[in-house]
Amino acid sequence: QVQLQESGPGLVKPSGTLSLTCAVSGGSISTANWWSWVRQPPGKGLEWIGEVYHSGKTNYNPSLMSRVTISVDESRNQFSLKMSSVTAADTAVYYCARDAGGFTFDYWGQGTLVTVSS
Amino acid sequence: SSELTQDPAVSVALGQTVRITCQGDSLRNYYPSWFQQKPGQAPLLVFYDKNNRPSGIPDRFSGSSSGNTASLTITGAQAEDEADYYCNSRDSSGDLVFFGGGTKLSVL
């Protein structure tokens, strides 16, 4: 059973950089799957941030791509999100998820709340 | 456009059938996935591709798609089905992922 676990600071200052890591267990990250970050502002819907393949290839949401970097570390079986120049609008629950074969998000992390505030 | 449009809210009487719809041009090329999300929980995959239901999901959940419209049908809705439901798909290039705005299902 694949499990994903997000980790990182729960509070980030405005104009700072949000950094999160997703640890994958129960399976290898080096498989034919994409690994995504999805966020959900309080009381709002889901927003896809971007994805990474184990080769390092990435795709990003055009509305966020100027501020976002997603990377993979096969040796640690984890992938990461960095988002720069954050504002209060970036306050959200951040989920990592596996996109099985690029077809569907079959495994999700529990989510981690990141608040942007001074 | 690669946006996915869902009705904000739908209600259904206990035990009746309800259809939650999702519209978007990308659905002409890709079958959507459907997720159920209850308060404080991560989304849960309930249906995907042409006709796939993950293990453990009741068979009262089914999906269909025609043209630019896809539907998730719950046949015999239960109280525990009250939740937000999201559809998602990729755009025509396959490089971008989109979620619908979500539908809040109330079971009366």
Side-chain angles (χ1 to χ4, degrees):
Chain A
Q1 179 81 346
V2 174
Q3 292 185 312
L4 293 84
Q5 179 67 58
E6 306 90 349
S7 62
L11 181 65
V12 182
K13 294 187 186 307
S15 77
T17 296
L18 179 160
S19 296
L20 296 174
T21 296
C22 181
V24 179
S25 59
S28 173
I29 203 169
S30 302
T31 52
N33 301 299
W34 287 87
W35 304 90
S36 273
W37 288 97
V38 177
R39 70 180 182 177
Q40 185 171 36
K44 297 188 177 181
L46 301 171
E47 180 181 33
W48 179 72
I49 300 171
E51 62 186 0
V52 64
Y53 199 69
H54 66 84
S55 63
K57 178 175 168 56
T58 54
N59 293 311
Y60 296 117
N61 184 326
S63 68
L64 297 170
M65 69 182 304
S66 65
R67 300 192 291 127
V68 169
T69 301
I70 297 175
S71 59
V72 63
D73 186 338
E74 291 186 273
S75 65
R76 294 186 176 186
N77 220 41
Q78 64 185 33
F79 61 107
S80 300
L81 167 70
K82 289 188 184 299
M83 181 181 293
S84 62
S85 304
V86 297
T87 70
D90 295 309
T91 293
V93 174
Y94 286 75
Y95 296 100
C96 57
R98 186 180 86 164
D99 190 343
F103 287 106
T104 190
F105 295 104
D106 57 351
Y107 291 102
W108 294 71
Q110 65 184 21
T112 187
L113 174 63
V114 178
T115 301
V116 179
S117 174
S118 56
Chain B
S1 171
S2 300
E3 295 179 348
L4 298 175
T5 301
Q6 297 183 241
D7 292 328
V10 171
S11 61
V12 62
L14 184 67
Q16 296 303 301
T17 296
V18 62
R19 180 172 295 177
I20 299 169
T21 61
C22 175
Q23 287 189 306
D25 288 342
S26 65
L27 300 181
R28 299 183 186 277
N29 304 103
Y30 291 94
Y31 291 104
S33 295
W34 291 93
F35 302 90
Q36 176 193 72
Q37 187 180 36
K38 296 180 179 180
Q41 297 184 14
L44 173 69
L45 179 65
V46 295
F47 203 87
Y48 67 101
D49 207 357
K50 184 175 182 180
N51 190 24
N52 292 94
R53 191 183 313 107
S55 174
I57 301 300
D59 61 6
R60 63 178 179 271
F61 289 89
S62 62
S64 62
S65 187
S66 178
N68 73 335
T69 301
S71 299
L72 175 73
T73 299
I74 306 174
T75 303
Q78 303 298 303
E80 60 264 31
D81 299 334
E82 187 164 284
D84 294 327
Y85 289 85
Y86 295 90
C87 61
N88 107 288
S89 178
R90 287 187 176 264
D91 75 333
S92 57
S93 73
D95 290 339
L96 302 180
V97 174
F98 293 91
F99 285 93
T103 297
K104 184 176 184 62
L105 175 67
S106 297
V107 180
L108 307 176

